[in-house]
């Protein structure tokens, strides 16, 4: 059971980050194709050039928490594999 929950906790935060970043990147691409400048502070397309900022700079806590959750999931997955391997050798 630990292996299943660990693998979910390992994969889902990364997928969530990729989806949210992709949605923002799509909005930026659409804005630049229309000849505008994307303002990252308020998430709008404007005619005035706005300063660039990274996704991590704007969402530091969220990204760090998702990466922490993924790391905990990897550790839980590893622990689950170790327990599963140890239980098989004890049964033989």
């Amino acid at each position: 059971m630990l292996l299943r929950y660990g693998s979910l906790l390992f994969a889902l935060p990364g997928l969530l980050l990729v989806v949210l970043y992709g949605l923002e990147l799509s909005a930026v691409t659409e804005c630049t194709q229309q000849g505008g400048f994307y303002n990252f502070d308020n998430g709008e397309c404007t005619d005035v050039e706005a300063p660039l900022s990274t996704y991590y700079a704007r969402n530091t806590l969220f990204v760090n928490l998702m990466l922490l959750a993924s790391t905990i999931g990897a550790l839980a997955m590893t622990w689950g594999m170790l327990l599963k391997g140890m239980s098989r050798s004890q049964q033989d």
Side-chain angles (χ1 to χ4, degrees):
M1 192 60 94
L2 189 61
L3 184 60
R4 289 181 186 171
Y5 289 136
S7 61
L8 282 175
L9 191 59
F10 172 71
L12 290 181
L15 288 173
L16 180 64
L17 283 173
V18 168
V19 166
L20 292 176
Y21 180 76
L23 290 173
E24 184 177 81
L25 185 62
S26 175
V28 171
T29 303
E30 184 178 325
C31 178
T32 55
Q33 285 178 348
Q34 294 174 359
F37 298 99
Y38 192 79
N39 188 342
F40 290 100
D41 292 333
N42 56 14
E44 294 177 349
C45 189
T46 62
D47 294 335
V48 180
E49 189 170 353
L52 295 176
S53 64
T54 63
Y55 188 81
Y56 180 75
R58 289 186 313 279
N59 303 299
T60 304
L61 181 64
F62 178 67
V63 171
N64 285 337
L65 287 176
M66 291 296 104
L67 292 177
L68 178 65
S70 187
T71 303
I72 291 170
L75 292 174
M77 210 169 35
T78 304
W79 187 253
M81 285 187 266
L82 288 173
L83 290 177
K84 194 172 188 178
M86 285 190 251
S87 65
R88 282 190 182 162
S89 62
Q90 291 173 357
Q91 291 175 356
D92 292 339

